[in-house]
Amino acid sequence: GNSVTQMEGPVTLSEEAFLTINCTYTATGYPSLFWYVQYPGEGLQLLLKATKADDKGSNKGFEATYRKETTSFHLEKGSVQVSDSAVYFCALAEAPNFGNEKLTFGTGTRLTIIP
Amino acid sequence: DAGVTQSPTHLIKTRGQQVTLRCSPKSGHDTVSWYQQALGQGPQFIFQYYEEEERQRGNFPDRFSGHQFPNYSSELNVNALLLGDSALYLCASSAQARSNTYEQYFGPGTRLTVT
C-alpha cells in the first residue's frame, strides 16, 4: 500500500536559518504530493503541492520538488521565521481516478523557530 | 466564503457511549472525507462521501459510520466508544468537478476525549 515517511522531529532552528524537512514515499502509479501545515490549535492547511515528476510546488517561501527517481518530496525554505513554527505533514494522493482523493499522511514534523 | 466548519469543537464521552460529529463543507464542494488524527500522529483516512454514498473506506471498524445529506453536509458516528478513539477528527471537503487538483480543504477538527 501507499506510505509516506518523513523526517522525525522535533526540529528547532534559529530565525533566518535554512530549513529542510525530508519526505519519501511509496506508491503505485504516479501520485500527487503535498505538504500540509498545522498551526497550534488549528486544522490542516495546504502549503504546496506537485502533481507530476519534476514539478516544483512553492508557497510563502517554501518549496518542494517532486523527485520520482528518488521518490522524494523534501520541503525547503531559505530563511525561516518565528511564525513558521508549526507541524508539517507530507502527504500523497493516488493516481488520477475519478473521485479518488484519499490522502495518506506522514507522521508529521514539529518545527520550532527561536528568535 | 465560509470554509469547512465542524461541530462541536470539543467533546468528552465515556467508554461504550456513542458520538456524532458534524461537518459542513466549503461552499461549492460536494465531497466530504473524514480523518482521525491521534495525538502526535498524522491523520488517518476513515471514509469519504459523495452523492450521499460512502465511496471509499480506510482501515476502520464498522463502529465508525457516516452519512451525507442532500446539502452535502456530513456526519460521523462512532458507536461503542473505546479509549483509543480519543483523537482529533478532521473533516475535509473537495469538489469532484475539479477533482484533478486533488485539493482538499480541512476544517478545524473536533477533539474527542473518551474517558
Side-chain angles (χ1 to χ4, degrees), chain B residues 2 6-7 17-18 22-24 27-28 33-35 45-46 49-51 65 67 74 81 85 87-88 94 102 104 112:
Chain B
Q6 293 186 243
S7 63
Q17 286 188 317
Q18 179 265 345
R22 296 176 176 83
C23 171
S24 291
S27 178
S33 301
W34 287 92
Y35 293 81
F45 177 78
I46 302 175
Y49 277 84
Y50 172 64
E51 293 187 332
S65 63
H67 189 76
S74 176
L81 285 166
D85 295 332
L88 180 67
S94 55
Y102 289 100
Q104 296 187 34
L112 172 65

mmCIF file of all heavy atoms in Angstrom, chain B residues 2 6-7 17-18 22-24 27-28 33-35 45-46 49-51 65 67 74 81 85 87-88 94 102 104 112:
data_model
loop_
_atom_site.group_PDB
_atom_site.id
_atom_site.type_symbol
_atom_site.label_atom_id
_atom_site.label_comp_id
_atom_site.label_asym_id
_atom_site.label_seq_id
_atom_site.Cartn_x
_atom_site.Cartn_y
_atom_site.Cartn_z
ATOM 1 N N ALA B 2 -17.515 30.961 3.593
ATOM 2 C CA ALA B 2 -17.195 30.150 4.759
ATOM 3 C C ALA B 2 -16.392 28.946 4.322
ATOM 4 O O ALA B 2 -16.655 28.331 3.288
ATOM 5 C CB ALA B 2 -18.467 29.700 5.458
ATOM 6 N N GLN B 6 -16.906 22.548 11.507
ATOM 7 C CA GLN B 6 -17.159 21.310 12.229
ATOM 8 C C GLN B 6 -17.737 21.630 13.608
ATOM 9 O O GLN B 6 -17.402 22.651 14.209
ATOM 10 C CB GLN B 6 -15.863 20.507 12.423
ATOM 11 C CG GLN B 6 -15.289 19.982 11.122
ATOM 12 C CD GLN B 6 -14.090 19.073 11.369
ATOM 13 O OE1 GLN B 6 -12.986 19.393 10.933
ATOM 14 N NE2 GLN B 6 -14.315 17.953 12.044
ATOM 15 N N SER B 7 -18.592 20.733 14.070
ATOM 16 C CA SER B 7 -19.133 20.896 15.416
ATOM 17 C C SER B 7 -19.321 19.533 16.064
ATOM 18 O O SER B 7 -19.553 18.533 15.368
ATOM 19 C CB SER B 7 -20.474 21.646 15.356
ATOM 20 O OG SER B 7 -21.435 20.890 14.636
ATOM 21 N N GLN B 17 -20.193 4.670 25.045
ATOM 22 C CA GLN B 17 -21.196 5.587 24.514
ATOM 23 C C GLN B 17 -21.050 5.738 23.010
ATOM 24 O O GLN B 17 -20.127 5.202 22.378
ATOM 25 C CB GLN B 17 -21.060 6.960 25.192
ATOM 26 C CG GLN B 17 -21.573 6.998 26.614
ATOM 27 C CD GLN B 17 -21.584 8.417 27.164
ATOM 28 O OE1 GLN B 17 -20.646 9.196 26.974
ATOM 29 N NE2 GLN B 17 -22.666 8.761 27.866
ATOM 30 N N GLN B 18 -21.986 6.490 22.447
ATOM 31 C CA GLN B 18 -21.999 6.770 21.019
ATOM 32 C C GLN B 18 -21.828 8.274 20.816
ATOM 33 O O GLN B 18 -22.220 9.077 21.673
ATOM 34 C CB GLN B 18 -23.325 6.287 20.415
ATOM 35 C CG GLN B 18 -23.484 6.545 18.932
ATOM 36 C CD GLN B 18 -24.227 7.843 18.628
ATOM 37 O OE1 GLN B 18 -24.862 8.414 19.488
ATOM 38 N NE2 GLN B 18 -24.104 8.300 17.407
ATOM 39 N N ARG B 22 -20.232 16.518 13.319
ATOM 40 C CA ARG B 22 -20.849 17.126 12.149
ATOM 41 C C ARG B 22 -19.878 17.981 11.365
ATOM 42 O O ARG B 22 -18.952 18.577 11.940
ATOM 43 C CB ARG B 22 -22.068 17.938 12.571
ATOM 44 C CG ARG B 22 -23.172 17.087 13.173
ATOM 45 C CD ARG B 22 -24.344 17.880 13.685
ATOM 46 N NE ARG B 22 -25.405 16.979 14.149
ATOM 47 C CZ ARG B 22 -25.446 16.401 15.345
ATOM 48 N NH1 ARG B 22 -24.479 16.628 16.216
ATOM 49 N NH2 ARG B 22 -26.438 15.599 15.665
ATOM 50 N N CYS B 23 -20.126 18.052 10.057
ATOM 51 C CA CYS B 23 -19.237 18.792 9.169
ATOM 52 C C CYS B 23 -20.053 19.464 8.065
ATOM 53 O O CYS B 23 -20.918 18.828 7.448
ATOM 54 C CB CYS B 23 -18.217 17.835 8.548
ATOM 55 S SG CYS B 23 -17.216 18.559 7.233
ATOM 56 N N SER B 24 -19.769 20.721 7.821
ATOM 57 C CA SER B 24 -20.338 21.436 6.679
ATOM 58 C C SER B 24 -19.213 21.772 5.721
ATOM 59 O O SER B 24 -18.235 22.421 6.124
ATOM 60 C CB SER B 24 -21.044 22.713 7.127
ATOM 61 O OG SER B 24 -22.206 22.408 7.857
ATOM 62 N N SER B 27 -18.268 26.077 0.629
ATOM 63 C CA SER B 27 -19.240 26.382 -0.400
ATOM 64 C C SER B 27 -18.749 25.918 -1.769
ATOM 65 O O SER B 27 -17.602 26.171 -2.147
ATOM 66 C CB SER B 27 -19.491 27.893 -0.426
ATOM 67 O OG SER B 27 -20.396 28.228 -1.447
ATOM 68 N N GLY B 28 -19.630 25.211 -2.491
ATOM 69 C CA GLY B 28 -19.272 24.721 -3.817
ATOM 70 C C GLY B 28 -18.664 23.333 -3.825
ATOM 71 O O GLY B 28 -18.428 22.773 -4.896
ATOM 72 N N SER B 33 -14.588 14.062 3.242
ATOM 73 C CA SER B 33 -13.755 12.977 3.767
ATOM 74 C C SER B 33 -13.527 13.199 5.256
ATOM 75 O O SER B 33 -13.439 14.338 5.707
ATOM 76 C CB SER B 33 -12.405 12.938 3.047
ATOM 77 O OG SER B 33 -12.569 12.757 1.663
ATOM 78 N N TRP B 34 -13.421 12.103 5.985
ATOM 79 C CA TRP B 34 -13.165 12.175 7.423
ATOM 80 C C TRP B 34 -11.834 11.516 7.738
ATOM 81 O O TRP B 34 -11.495 10.464 7.179
ATOM 82 C CB TRP B 34 -14.272 11.462 8.207
ATOM 83 C CG TRP B 34 -15.583 12.199 8.251
ATOM 84 C CD1 TRP B 34 -16.624 12.073 7.384
ATOM 85 C CD2 TRP B 34 -15.982 13.170 9.225
ATOM 86 N NE1 TRP B 34 -17.655 12.911 7.756
ATOM 87 C CE2 TRP B 34 -17.279 13.584 8.883
ATOM 88 C CE3 TRP B 34 -15.373 13.719 10.355
ATOM 89 C CZ2 TRP B 34 -17.987 14.527 9.639
ATOM 90 C CZ3 TRP B 34 -16.072 14.660 11.098
ATOM 91 C CH2 TRP B 34 -17.360 15.060 10.733
ATOM 92 N N TYR B 35 -11.096 12.134 8.656
ATOM 93 C CA TYR B 35 -9.797 11.634 9.082
ATOM 94 C C TYR B 35 -9.744 11.622 10.611
ATOM 95 O O TYR B 35 -10.314 12.494 11.273
ATOM 96 C CB TYR B 35 -8.663 12.518 8.558
ATOM 97 C CG TYR B 35 -8.487 12.497 7.053
ATOM 98 C CD1 TYR B 35 -9.289 13.274 6.222
ATOM 99 C CD2 TYR B 35 -7.509 11.701 6.460
ATOM 100 C CE1 TYR B 35 -9.131 13.255 4.853
ATOM 101 C CE2 TYR B 35 -7.334 11.680 5.083
ATOM 102 C CZ TYR B 35 -8.150 12.462 4.296
ATOM 103 O OH TYR B 35 -7.986 12.440 2.935
ATOM 104 N N PHE B 45 -7.104 8.222 7.162
ATOM 105 C CA PHE B 45 -8.354 8.291 6.399
ATOM 106 C C PHE B 45 -9.378 7.322 6.950
ATOM 107 O O PHE B 45 -9.084 6.127 7.096
ATOM 108 C CB PHE B 45 -8.044 7.977 4.936
ATOM 109 C CG PHE B 45 -9.237 7.927 4.035
ATOM 110 C CD1 PHE B 45 -9.824 9.088 3.575
ATOM 111 C CD2 PHE B 45 -9.754 6.701 3.625
ATOM 112 C CE1 PHE B 45 -10.912 9.035 2.720
ATOM 113 C CE2 PHE B 45 -10.830 6.640 2.774
ATOM 114 C CZ PHE B 45 -11.417 7.808 2.310
ATOM 115 N N ILE B 46 -10.583 7.833 7.236
ATOM 116 C CA ILE B 46 -11.661 6.971 7.729
ATOM 117 C C ILE B 46 -12.560 6.567 6.570
ATOM 118 O O ILE B 46 -12.715 5.379 6.279
ATOM 119 C CB ILE B 46 -12.492 7.677 8.824
ATOM 120 C CG1 ILE B 46 -11.597 8.101 9.986
ATOM 121 C CG2 ILE B 46 -13.613 6.742 9.315
ATOM 122 C CD1 ILE B 46 -12.318 8.916 11.050
ATOM 123 N N TYR B 49 -17.424 10.521 1.457
ATOM 124 C CA TYR B 49 -18.798 10.522 0.970
ATOM 125 C C TYR B 49 -18.946 11.427 -0.234
ATOM 126 O O TYR B 49 -18.424 12.547 -0.264
ATOM 127 C CB TYR B 49 -19.764 10.971 2.076
ATOM 128 C CG TYR B 49 -20.130 9.846 2.993
ATOM 129 C CD1 TYR B 49 -19.310 9.497 4.054
ATOM 130 C CD2 TYR B 49 -21.277 9.091 2.769
ATOM 131 C CE1 TYR B 49 -19.623 8.442 4.879
ATOM 132 C CE2 TYR B 49 -21.604 8.032 3.590
ATOM 133 C CZ TYR B 49 -20.768 7.711 4.644
ATOM 134 O OH TYR B 49 -21.084 6.656 5.459
ATOM 135 N N TYR B 50 -19.686 10.918 -1.196
ATOM 136 C CA TYR B 50 -20.016 11.682 -2.403
ATOM 137 C C TYR B 50 -21.378 11.216 -2.878
ATOM 138 O O TYR B 50 -21.646 10.010 -2.892
ATOM 139 C CB TYR B 50 -18.948 11.461 -3.477
ATOM 140 C CG TYR B 50 -19.276 12.053 -4.824
ATOM 141 C CD1 TYR B 50 -19.408 13.428 -4.980
ATOM 142 C CD2 TYR B 50 -19.457 11.242 -5.941
ATOM 143 C CE1 TYR B 50 -19.710 13.983 -6.212
ATOM 144 C CE2 TYR B 50 -19.760 11.782 -7.171
ATOM 145 C CZ TYR B 50 -19.893 13.156 -7.305
ATOM 146 O OH TYR B 50 -20.195 13.700 -8.528
ATOM 147 N N GLU B 51 -22.228 12.162 -3.260
ATOM 148 C CA GLU B 51 -23.587 11.834 -3.685
ATOM 149 C C GLU B 51 -24.295 10.963 -2.649
ATOM 150 O O GLU B 51 -24.973 9.990 -2.989
ATOM 151 C CB GLU B 51 -23.575 11.151 -5.067
ATOM 152 C CG GLU B 51 -23.124 12.108 -6.160
ATOM 153 C CD GLU B 51 -23.261 11.529 -7.567
ATOM 154 O OE1 GLU B 51 -23.191 10.294 -7.708
ATOM 155 O OE2 GLU B 51 -23.431 12.318 -8.508
ATOM 156 N N SER B 65 -19.276 4.943 11.310
ATOM 157 C CA SER B 65 -20.204 5.047 10.196
ATOM 158 C C SER B 65 -20.452 6.518 9.900
ATOM 159 O O SER B 65 -20.138 7.400 10.718
ATOM 160 C CB SER B 65 -21.510 4.332 10.501
ATOM 161 O OG SER B 65 -22.162 4.954 11.600
ATOM 162 N N HIS B 67 -22.694 9.585 7.219
ATOM 163 C CA HIS B 67 -23.854 9.929 6.412
ATOM 164 C C HIS B 67 -23.565 11.253 5.720
ATOM 165 O O HIS B 67 -22.867 12.109 6.269
ATOM 166 C CB HIS B 67 -25.091 10.071 7.305
ATOM 167 C CG HIS B 67 -26.362 10.222 6.533
ATOM 168 N ND1 HIS B 67 -26.984 9.173 5.913
ATOM 169 C CD2 HIS B 67 -27.104 11.317 6.283
ATOM 170 C CE1 HIS B 67 -28.078 9.624 5.308
ATOM 171 N NE2 HIS B 67 -28.170 10.905 5.515
ATOM 172 N N SER B 74 -22.179 16.479 6.352
ATOM 173 C CA SER B 74 -21.924 15.076 6.686
ATOM 174 C C SER B 74 -21.848 14.882 8.194
ATOM 175 O O SER B 74 -21.576 15.823 8.953
ATOM 176 C CB SER B 74 -20.604 14.642 6.043
ATOM 177 O OG SER B 74 -20.253 13.313 6.403
ATOM 178 N N LEU B 81 -17.791 3.469 22.052
ATOM 179 C CA LEU B 81 -16.515 4.175 22.127
ATOM 180 C C LEU B 81 -15.488 3.443 22.995
ATOM 181 O O LEU B 81 -15.810 2.896 24.053
ATOM 182 C CB LEU B 81 -16.726 5.580 22.681
ATOM 183 C CG LEU B 81 -17.337 6.579 21.707
ATOM 184 C CD1 LEU B 81 -17.812 7.822 22.445
ATOM 185 C CD2 LEU B 81 -16.343 6.937 20.615
ATOM 186 N N ASP B 85 -10.276 5.659 20.824
ATOM 187 C CA ASP B 85 -10.949 6.534 19.857
ATOM 188 C C ASP B 85 -10.680 8.007 20.164
ATOM 189 O O ASP B 85 -11.076 8.880 19.382
ATOM 190 C CB ASP B 85 -12.459 6.284 19.868
ATOM 191 C CG ASP B 85 -12.816 4.893 19.387
ATOM 192 O OD1 ASP B 85 -12.046 4.318 18.571
ATOM 193 O OD2 ASP B 85 -13.858 4.363 19.821
ATOM 194 N N ALA B 87 -9.140 11.307 19.937
ATOM 195 C CA ALA B 87 -8.356 11.860 18.827
ATOM 196 C C ALA B 87 -8.986 13.160 18.365
ATOM 197 O O ALA B 87 -10.063 13.549 18.822
ATOM 198 C CB ALA B 87 -8.302 10.878 17.657
ATOM 199 N N LEU B 88 -8.295 13.808 17.424
ATOM 200 C CA LEU B 88 -8.858 14.949 16.711
ATOM 201 C C LEU B 88 -9.461 14.400 15.424
ATOM 202 O O LEU B 88 -8.781 13.723 14.652
ATOM 203 C CB LEU B 88 -7.758 15.961 16.394
ATOM 204 C CG LEU B 88 -8.177 17.222 15.646
ATOM 205 C CD1 LEU B 88 -9.077 18.095 16.508
ATOM 206 C CD2 LEU B 88 -6.946 18.019 15.193
ATOM 207 N N SER B 94 -13.966 18.714 -0.799
ATOM 208 C CA SER B 94 -13.390 18.948 -2.123
ATOM 209 C C SER B 94 -14.510 18.931 -3.137
ATOM 210 O O SER B 94 -15.656 18.605 -2.823
ATOM 211 C CB SER B 94 -12.342 17.882 -2.451
ATOM 212 O OG SER B 94 -12.888 16.594 -2.335
ATOM 213 N N TYR B 102 -6.877 17.657 -6.760
ATOM 214 C CA TYR B 102 -6.651 16.924 -5.513
ATOM 215 C C TYR B 102 -6.536 17.851 -4.318
ATOM 216 O O TYR B 102 -5.796 17.570 -3.389
ATOM 217 C CB TYR B 102 -5.394 16.058 -5.593
ATOM 218 C CG TYR B 102 -5.576 14.889 -6.508
ATOM 219 C CD1 TYR B 102 -5.085 14.937 -7.797
ATOM 220 C CD2 TYR B 102 -6.236 13.763 -6.096
ATOM 221 C CE1 TYR B 102 -5.260 13.865 -8.650
ATOM 222 C CE2 TYR B 102 -6.419 12.692 -6.935
ATOM 223 C CZ TYR B 102 -5.922 12.743 -8.210
ATOM 224 O OH TYR B 102 -6.088 11.692 -9.050
ATOM 225 N N GLN B 104 -7.923 19.329 -1.052
ATOM 226 C CA GLN B 104 -8.918 19.182 -0.013
ATOM 227 C C GLN B 104 -8.737 20.301 1.010
ATOM 228 O O GLN B 104 -7.612 20.629 1.383
ATOM 229 C CB GLN B 104 -8.780 17.825 0.681
ATOM 230 C CG GLN B 104 -9.056 16.656 -0.239
ATOM 231 C CD GLN B 104 -9.094 15.336 0.495
ATOM 232 O OE1 GLN B 104 -9.529 15.258 1.639
ATOM 233 N NE2 GLN B 104 -8.647 14.296 -0.167
ATOM 234 N N LEU B 112 -12.163 14.769 20.384
ATOM 235 C CA LEU B 112 -12.951 13.806 21.142
ATOM 236 C C LEU B 112 -12.077 13.167 22.218
ATOM 237 O O LEU B 112 -10.994 12.649 21.913
ATOM 238 C CB LEU B 112 -13.513 12.718 20.228
ATOM 239 C CG LEU B 112 -14.199 11.542 20.916
ATOM 240 C CD1 LEU B 112 -15.461 12.002 21.644
ATOM 241 C CD2 LEU B 112 -14.534 10.444 19.900
#
